[in-house]
Amino acid sequence: MPNSRRSVSRRGLLMAGGAVASAVAVPDESHALARRTAGPTGAEGDDAWRTKIDVHHHVTAPAWVDWAEREGLLRRQELLWWARWDARSALDVMDRVGIATAVLHPTMQDRYRTPAQAKEGLTVVFEALTDLTHEHPGRFAFLCPALLDHPEVTTWALRRAFDDLGAVGVSVKANYNGVYLGDPSYDRFLAELDERSGVLFTHPLDLPGRPPGVPTVAGIPNFMCDFALDTTRAAVNLIRTRTLDRYPRLSVVLPHAGGFLPHIATRIGAFGDFCTPPIDAARVRDYLHRFYYDTAGPLSPACTLVATAGADRILYGTDWPAASADIITGFTGPAVEADHAFTDHQRRGIYRDNALRLVPALKRACGTT
């Protein structure tokens, strides 16, 4: 497999994902960049530069894959690149770009057929994730996956993950069967999170009404455009239903720089009277400054996001292994480092401090007091 980035097509690098990442050479300047931009954490020697917190790191635990295959939920040979996670490759990429701690988002948690199977599957996931955090102290934290189509299981999972296992937040899809976040049917779940001052990390998938994986537009993968629209729909619905007003202790992180939301905020305010109930421009501006946004994707020019939300609402995220090492070092990193919209102080916040302020439990997970 070639080591030169120039000898591998951009599409090939993306589609190969984690498999390519361990073989693609990260340029020396990217490694030096990470060392230069990350501040000290009190660690000694070569680890002092490694300070970033990656809030958007997908994991399909190998132990869960074994279980799911036995249950007939998947066929291992059909798994795509982003579901072929392993700790060695993950840690290698983290070390290359200066990531101290990755927040793990469990994937493929929407395949369960029954509540009993969902509870058994989550038990396997929790065991695998807690094993990882114990085997690699300070390197991993994890989110509790919410299964909003199995509300009783979700309540059990929240108690287990937060009260017993040290989860730092919750991962949830933008919609379940076409019902988007903000819908009243999810109020019980949101109330439970609000009681815990919880942090909700959303993530998009294919748009509802489409067969999974089938492109909406021939020749254009759904993650290119549809994912951003899925996130945008969820965000606008959260604004429309005043979710953060009803649950003021709840924090919501929108991936991929908020999808299209920062770019169409003025449009939403201008045409908000056509929504039911109406959305006024002042509420849109308010919510733009209440959401959090990550840099996975990679980030579009930051001036739009900084102007509409503020740099203190932006968190560093890589989207590993859906995004390969080449994408992370060639696009995601420079989008923060080279963008003149950011000051050095703001970069420090994006790389680490904003996440620690938003998720205090990360201080324990990172071994930071």
Side-chain angles (χ1 to χ4, degrees):
M1 188 174 295
N3 285 328
S4 170
R5 286 174 52 200
R6 296 183 179 89
S7 64
V8 183
S9 71
R10 183 70 59 204
R11 182 176 184 275
L13 281 166
L14 181 61
M15 297 304 291
V20 169
S22 60
V24 173
V26 178
D28 291 341
E29 61 266 27
S30 295
H31 202 168
L33 177 67
R35 288 179 178 273
R36 186 173 69 253
T37 58
T41 61
E44 298 295 329
D46 290 341
D47 285 344
W49 66 276
R50 190 173 61 197
T51 62
K52 295 186 180 78
I53 295 174
D54 177 6
V55 302
H56 191 145
H57 182 125
H58 295 289
V59 59
T60 309
W64 182 87
V65 172
D66 293 340
W67 173 86
E69 188 168 42
R70 291 194 301 269
E71 291 288 309
L73 298 179
L74 58 79
R75 298 177 63 183
R76 186 184 305 269
Q77 65 268 28
E78 296 176 355
L79 292 178
L80 297 177
W81 77 96
W82 50 263
R84 299 180 181 274
W85 187 93
D86 70 274
R88 185 179 67 176
S89 297
L91 288 165
D92 179 62
V93 170
M94 290 167 62
D95 289 344
R96 291 181 186 187
V97 299
I99 295 170
T101 305
V103 179
L104 303 177
H105 297 227
T107 63
M108 304 181 73
Q109 297 302 299
D110 56 354
R111 300 193 171 206
Y112 303 117
R113 300 189 185 99
T114 66
Q117 188 180 60
K119 189 172 182 179
E120 182 178 348
L122 286 176
T123 299
V124 175
V125 169
F126 289 151
E127 182 176 348
L129 296 180
T130 53
D131 285 348
L132 270 173
T133 61
H134 293 150
E135 291 167 6
H136 306 282
R139 303 310 306 276
F140 296 114
F142 69 90
L143 304 179
C144 172
L147 310 179
L148 298 190
D149 43 358
H150 296 299
E152 296 296 335
V153 176
T154 294
T155 294
W156 166 84
L158 291 176
R159 293 171 181 167
R160 175 75 173 135
F162 282 104
D163 298 340
D164 301 333
L165 303 177
V168 299
V170 176
S171 65
V172 64
K173 296 192 302 181
N175 82 86
Y176 290 77
N177 301 314
V179 180
Y180 277 86
L181 293 178
D183 188 87
S185 61
Y186 303 140
D187 280 355
R188 172 184 169 183
F189 163 68
L190 295 176
E192 290 173 331
L193 280 187
D194 187 66
E195 289 178 2
R196 297 176 179 273
S197 299
V199 181
L200 186 69
F201 292 79
T202 69
H203 200 279
L205 285 172
D206 294 333
L207 296 177
R210 300 287 303 175
V214 176
T216 302
V217 180
I220 302 177
N222 287 340
F223 64 76
M224 190 78 70
C225 301
D226 290 12
F227 279 29
L229 178 56
D230 201 35
T231 294
T232 305
R233 286 177 170 180
V236 174
N237 205 42
L238 290 168
I239 297 171
R240 182 186 68 86
T241 57
R242 296 182 176 270
T243 298
L244 297 184
D245 297 319
R246 292 183 293 120
Y247 303 108
R249 292 173 293 186
L250 175 69
S251 299
V252 175
V253 180
L254 303 175
H256 312 130
F260 301 130
L261 179 66
H263 305 277
I264 65 169
T266 301
R267 180 181 180 86
I268 298 168
F271 295 104
D273 285 346
F274 290 89
C275 295
T276 306
I279 304 174
D280 60 69
R283 196 194 322 165
V284 176
R285 291 192 296 269
D286 178 42
Y287 271 67
L288 284 169
H289 289 84
R290 294 169 73 176
F291 290 131
Y292 289 82
Y293 310 81
D294 76 36
T295 66
L299 183 67
S300 60
C303 55
T304 300
L305 190 55
V306 171
T308 55
D312 62 341
R313 316 298 287 189
I314 304 174
L315 313 170
Y316 178 74
T318 66
D319 217 354
W320 173 266
S324 70
D326 185 74
I327 296 294
I328 295 167
T329 60
F331 289 92
T332 305
V336 177
E337 180 58 27
D339 199 309
H340 297 298
F342 297 125
T343 66
D344 288 342
H345 175 74
Q346 289 170 336
R347 290 189 186 95
R348 168 72 190 228
I350 292 166
Y351 286 142
R352 184 177 182 87
D353 294 346
N354 295 347
L356 291 176
R357 185 181 66 253
L358 172 64
V359 191
L362 271 173
K363 295 180 181 180
R364 180 182 67 253
C366 297
T368 302
T369 56

